[in-house]
Amino acid sequence: MQDLLELAISTAEVAAVMLVDKRPADLGVAYTKSSSTDVVTEMDKASERLIVDRIRAARPGDAFLGEEGGETGGSSGVRWIIDPIDGTVNYLYDLPDWAVSIAAEVDGEVVVGVVAAPARGELYTAARGRGSHLVRADGSTRRLRCNTGVSLDQALVATGFGYAAERRARQAETLRQVLPRVRDIRRGGSAAVDLCSVAAGRVDAYYEQGPHLWDFAAGGLIVQEAGGSVGGLNGRPPSVDLTMAAAPDLFGPLHDLLDEAGAAN
């Protein structure tokens, strides 16, 4: 596992440096996906190529699942789950909340997660059973722990919104029911960064309808290794239907509120 973690860290760092140093002043949209606001830039594609090429050179038998490049098979039992820029719109607008997210699965279980947020000067890492950590730009580190003992009405909750108008309408209705029941809502624009914020205690919880596996694979493990719970409704795993994260004592009340609000409908 240590070799996978080290490879994920070094690759995320190289990709992050490339994205910062080579970001063109006139960065534009390469194409759109689910809607006209769901953008992909040339830098998304360049970042994923760099990540895949670097890992494949070190581990030619591994499989890959990337947001932009889709899935390729392998023979080793290891699969890398890659979001080359999580928070592309933030990156497009030169806002700080975007990240490179890399996770490694072994036989279907995520065992390593790395999220590099270079505009924040932060690197988040986790290995299953070994805890999660924040490494700052100055080299200092701290072990991460989710906030505990927070009641639902005092919880600061991060969320996000999709790109399709129909999904946004449903999310707005869910938010209308959630907002009066919690301390406040934060919307950063990157699921990976939001999950790391839960792990770091910067927010108490996170939920969102729409994230894909590449959005939450690394950040989800970082939350779990910080003592948090990650899942969907009614015991289901996190998915595009609903992904939520919080300390175990807050996860249940948040779950019930989102279930009541019809969050996965």
Side-chain angles (χ1 to χ4, degrees):
M1 189 187 308
Q2 185 63 29
D3 60 330
L4 299 179
L5 179 61
E6 291 175 358
L7 181 56
I9 290 171
S10 63
T11 301
E13 289 177 328
V14 169
V17 169
M18 183 273 292
L19 288 165
V20 172
D21 289 351
K22 296 190 176 182
R23 183 186 185 278
D26 59 347
L27 178 65
V29 174
Y31 59 90
T32 60
K33 293 187 289 187
S34 63
S35 78
S36 61
T37 55
D38 185 6
V39 301
V40 176
T41 69
E42 290 294 341
M43 298 304 287
D44 288 87
K45 297 190 292 182
S47 177
E48 188 163 314
R49 283 194 303 269
L50 183 156
I51 293 167
V52 171
D53 289 349
R54 198 172 192 279
I55 293 174
R56 184 171 282 150
R59 300 183 54 88
D62 291 355
F64 294 88
L65 173 65
E67 180 176 12
E68 311 308 337
E71 188 161 12
T72 59
S75 58
S76 68
V78 174
R79 182 173 73 156
W80 297 87
I81 304 167
I82 301 161
D83 194 338
I85 307 178
D86 187 65
T88 297
V89 172
N90 284 347
Y91 181 73
L92 181 66
Y93 280 78
D94 202 18
L95 293 168
D97 278 355
W98 59 271
V100 177
S101 176
I102 301 175
E105 282 182 342
V106 176
D107 297 326
E109 179 183 50
V110 176
V111 298
V112 161
V114 172
V115 174
R120 288 182 170 218
E122 295 178 341
L123 178 75
Y124 296 85
T125 71
R128 189 164 294 279
R130 301 183 186 179
S132 56
H133 298 83
L134 165 61
V135 183
R136 302 182 185 89
D138 63 4
S140 62
T141 65
R142 74 174 175 96
R143 185 157 183 156
L144 300 178
R145 296 301 298 176
C146 297
N147 294 334
T148 59
V150 180
S151 61
L152 183 63
D153 66 327
Q154 293 298 304
L156 185 62
V157 180
T159 192
F161 306 109
Y163 295 104
E166 182 179 345
R167 169 164 281 163
R168 287 187 177 196
R170 293 197 303 270
Q171 290 170 327
E173 177 57 27
T174 299
L175 181 62
R176 186 186 68 80
Q177 298 181 64
V178 169
L179 185 55
R181 305 273 296 275
V182 300
R183 178 192 292 271
D184 207 346
I185 293 289
R186 293 291 181 268
R187 194 277 199 265
S190 165
V193 173
D194 284 345
L195 286 163
C196 290
S197 293
V198 174
R202 292 173 176 167
V203 295
D204 301 306
Y206 160 80
Y207 80 91
E208 188 170 351
Q209 303 146 300
H212 294 272
L213 180 58
W214 48 75
D215 296 307
F216 61 74
L221 180 64
I222 290 167
V223 170
Q224 290 173 330
E225 289 298 317
S229 298
V230 181
L233 286 182
N234 302 313
R236 293 191 289 271
S239 71
V240 70
D241 293 330
L242 183 68
T243 295
M244 53 185 167
D249 56 352
L250 178 58
F251 188 90
L254 177 66
H255 169 280
D256 293 346
L257 173 58
L258 292 170
D259 193 19
E260 178 185 330
N265 291 340

